[in-house]
Structures are given as C-alpha cells and as structure tokens.
Amino acid sequence: MAVNDEMTMKDIARELGVSVATVSRALKDSPSISKERREKIQAFAREHNYVPNAIAEQLRNSRKQPPKVIGVILPEFIHYYFATVLAGIEDEASKHGYRLLVAASHENEEREKRICESFYKNKVCGIITSQAKETVDFSHYVKLDELRLPLVFYDRICPAINANRVVVDDYVGTLKAVSHLIDSGCKRIAFYGTTPNLEIGKNRFNGYKDALYQHGLTLDESLVRQCDTRQDAERITPEMLKMKNRPDAFFTVNDETAIGVLYTVKQRGFKIPEEISICGFTNSTYAVTCDPQLTSVEQNGYEVGREAAESLIGLVEGTLSSDHVVKRIVKTRLVVRATTK
C-alpha cells in the first residue's frame, strides 16, 4: 500500500490474515469476536489511522433501512424566498440526522420530471417539492404517490395529488395588503399575478378581488396582468402608466416584480407614494435595499421549509399517518414601508 493511500478494511484483513467480515465485526466491537482479537484489530486500525468509509457504510446500511436522504425540488436556486425555504428544510432535517439532495426545476416541467425520476432511482426516503410554473401534467407526482414515496408540497401545491402540504395564507395576505392600499386612498389598483395554473396565483387573485368588493370597488380587468418577473414588469408597466385612467397603486405577486414597477414608475417621474403606491409579496432583501423601501407581505419562507421537513420526516418515521393529509398554513404579515401611504 502506498504511503498516501487510505487504509481500508481489506488492507487490515490482508495484513492480519483474517477475513474482511472479521475486521468489520471487530471494529464494531462485536462480542462474536474474541476480546483478544478485537483489541488486536482495533489497535492495528488506530496505529494506521484507519477512517471508516462513510459512503460505503451508508450503502451497507441502506440494505437494512432506507437512507436518511430527502430530495428537495426548488423552482429556482437564485430566489430569496426559495433560498429561505431551503434553509428551513436543511435546519430541520439536520436536527433529525437527515441529509438533502437538492435540485432546481428552473420552472420547467420536463426537468421537474427528470429530477423526480432521479430522486426515486437514488432511493431518497421522501421528496419535498414546489411545482414548476410550466407544469400542467402531474403524472410524475401521481407515479411517486402510487409508489408510496412520501411527498410534501410547499408554496405551489399540486391539486392532482392528495399529499401533505405547507403553504402561506396567500388569500389573507393579499386581502390585507390590497385593503391597506384602499384604506390609504387608492382606487385604481393594478394586480400583477402569476400563471393561473398555480394555486398561489388563484388565491392571491381572489384576495385582490375580495378586497375590492369589500370596499365597494368593482374589478377592472384592464388593471389585471400576468406579470411575475422584474423584466415583465419593466415591459408592461409603461403601457399601464399611459392609460387615460392610470393605476394609482400596484400590487405584485412578488418583490422582484414590485422592484420592476418601482424602477419604471420613478423613471417616468411619478412620486411614490404620493401619486403611485406599490406593494410586493415576500418581504425579501429587495424590500429594504431599494429607494424608497418597499411595503411587502412577509412570506416567512424559513418557517415554510422547516414545517415541510417536519411533515416529511413524520411520514418517513411513521409519526404521521400517510392516510391522513395534513395541510399546514403559515401566517403572513404586512410590513408597511415607504412605497405606500
């Protein structure tokens, strides 16, 4: 064996003239090996700086019990909200001795399907996922459900699967935010939402509509746009500002889109919030690094992630019944800053 090579159990067995199985049992202090032989093998291993191969050990143990590895699917890696969700998942998983296998769908249905297949082949004990924007065929999730692989959805849930989920109260958060805009004197509130095939898109739009109705305002479809990125906001907002009866406020589905609105409104010389108010959803770092600072609905991604991991671990370890779907709702909070009156 070369000087820099790591000592293996095979090397120990060859040097001492015993089987690999004997070395393995001795290193685990098994009483099936005589005390004298155990001590001899253990002393030799210490002298030669033997370090167990953790990966090989996991593979051996996986034949007896499922490996403690959770698959996590994020729609995007570079996104404040999903990064905070991942932090919550990782902290809770680590506390219970689980590791993560993480992949991003990049909002693509086919990529999401490949990730699910890869996770299953790699024998994860369960999957925590948020549906990609483009996903309209849920057969990959249906298949995993039929295979009895524990699934927990967060943020964007899959209506075709009766699985545990963790969501924020999108409807209430939006209702409060739009009500705040109306109470501050705004009457023409534009709504920038996400794709209608996502439940969060429907819930936030319903919160917007109901806030208008509760305050005696009618829904104007000309103020409603599918717009959920900064790029789209910078493209669409100039048209909105040219309207004869332009919006006096914008509610956006996320902070990134709100920043696009803020930039465009300032560029065209409107005063914020005197002439136009803006409210986002997430309460990300964007909200406090822009000028003026952004009013936003705090989404609490860390808690969403923590509860999603707690739910999945409960399913894996049997403390939660797989026959009873658990829906957890994380409360939102409106954080008022300088972009609203």
Side-chain angles (χ1 to χ4, degrees):
M1 187 175 71
V3 173
N4 292 327
D5 287 349
E6 290 186 355
M7 174 73 68
T8 68
M9 283 198 288
K10 280 187 179 179
D11 297 325
I12 298 172
R14 184 177 60 252
E15 293 291 332
L16 298 180
V18 296
S19 69
V20 174
T22 297
V23 173
S24 177
R25 286 194 289 268
L27 293 177
K28 291 177 181 175
D29 214 26
S30 170
S32 64
I33 308 296
S34 69
K35 182 180 178 182
E36 183 182 356
R37 177 166 285 187
R38 267 184 283 158
E39 290 177 349
K40 180 181 178 181
I41 293 171
Q42 289 169 4
F44 184 88
R46 282 194 300 273
E47 289 167 13
H48 292 81
N49 299 314
Y50 167 74
V51 177
N53 186 322
I55 295 174
E57 185 67 21
Q58 181 186 324
L59 289 173
R60 283 191 292 273
N61 289 338
S62 69
R63 299 187 188 113
K64 304 170 189 174
Q65 60 185 29
K68 298 180 77 170
V69 178
I70 297 169
V72 180
I73 303 178
L74 305 175
E76 295 285 354
F77 278 125
I78 307 173
H79 191 293
Y80 174 85
Y81 176 67
F82 295 123
T84 58
V85 170
L86 181 59
I89 293 172
E90 200 281 330
D91 281 356
E92 186 67 19
S94 178
K95 192 165 70 177
H96 293 273
Y98 287 78
R99 295 183 298 109
L100 304 183
L101 191 58
V102 185
S105 67
H106 299 306
E107 306 289 14
N108 181 269
E109 180 181 298
E110 290 306 314
R111 185 179 177 92
E112 185 178 81
K113 288 179 176 179
R114 291 196 297 272
I115 293 169
C116 286
E117 184 179 1
S118 172
F119 280 175
Y120 182 74
K121 287 180 177 177
N122 279 281
K123 296 185 170 15
V124 296
C125 61
I127 294 176
I128 298 173
T129 182
S130 185
Q131 176 194 326
K133 277 185 202 172
E134 295 178 10
T135 300
V136 292
D137 172 23
F138 308 114
S139 57
H140 49 303
Y141 288 130
V142 172
K143 182 178 179 181
L144 293 175
D145 189 49
E146 289 172 347
L147 291 168
R148 307 286 290 178
L149 183 70
L151 280 173
V152 173
F153 287 88
Y154 68 91
D155 190 50
R156 305 175 189 170
I157 64 170
C158 176
I161 304 295
N162 198 26
N164 285 16
R165 69 276 311 267
V166 181
V167 296
V168 300
D169 54 353
D170 295 292
Y171 172 83
V172 173
T174 304
L175 182 75
K176 288 181 177 178
V178 177
S179 294
H180 164 68
L181 291 170
I182 297 169
D183 290 340
S184 69
C186 300
K187 303 296 182 187
R188 299 272 298 163
I189 302 168
F191 176 85
Y192 282 4
T194 190
T195 174
N197 67 300
L198 295 177
E199 287 296 308
I200 62 167
K202 295 174 188 174
N203 292 337
R204 292 180 194 178
F205 183 58
N206 287 335
Y208 165 74
K209 285 194 302 182
D210 286 355
L212 296 178
Y213 295 149
Q214 288 178 16
H215 290 80
L217 300 177
T218 56
L219 175 66
D220 183 344
E221 294 287 354
S222 70
L223 297 177
V224 178
R225 293 284 190 278
Q226 184 175 321
C227 175
D228 59 4
T229 67
R230 175 171 181 164
Q231 183 179 11
D232 284 346
E234 291 181 12
R235 176 177 56 83
I236 293 170
T237 305
E239 302 170 17
M240 303 287 279
L241 297 177
K242 289 177 184 175
M243 293 173 66
K244 186 176 181 180
N245 194 5
R246 64 162 176 80
D248 56 10
F250 288 82
F251 173 82
T252 69
V253 72
N254 57 46
D255 287 353
E256 181 188 358
T257 304
I259 296 301
V261 174
L262 177 63
Y263 172 80
T264 306
V265 169
K266 285 177 66 177
Q267 192 180 52
R268 277 152 181 77
F270 291 97
K271 293 179 182 178
I272 303 170
E274 292 84 359
E275 294 178 287
I276 296 178
S277 293
I278 304 166
C279 180
F281 202 112
T282 301
N283 196 34
S284 64
T285 50
Y286 291 126
V288 292
T289 54
C290 59
D291 180 31
Q293 291 190 348
L294 180 69
T295 293
S296 184
V297 179
E298 187 173 75
Q299 209 168 351
N300 205 345
Y302 182 89
E303 183 62 18
V304 169
R306 194 197 67 74
E307 292 207 20
E310 183 180 77
S311 182
L312 186 78
I313 292 168
L315 291 171
V316 171
E317 298 185 353
T319 57
L320 283 180
S321 170
S322 58
D323 297 324
H324 178 63
V325 171
V326 176
K327 180 179 180 180
R328 302 187 184 189
I329 299 176
V330 175
K331 291 186 180 299
T332 56
R333 179 173 67 97
L334 181 64
V335 181
V336 178
R337 297 192 182 94
T339 58
T340 59
K341 293 177 270 188

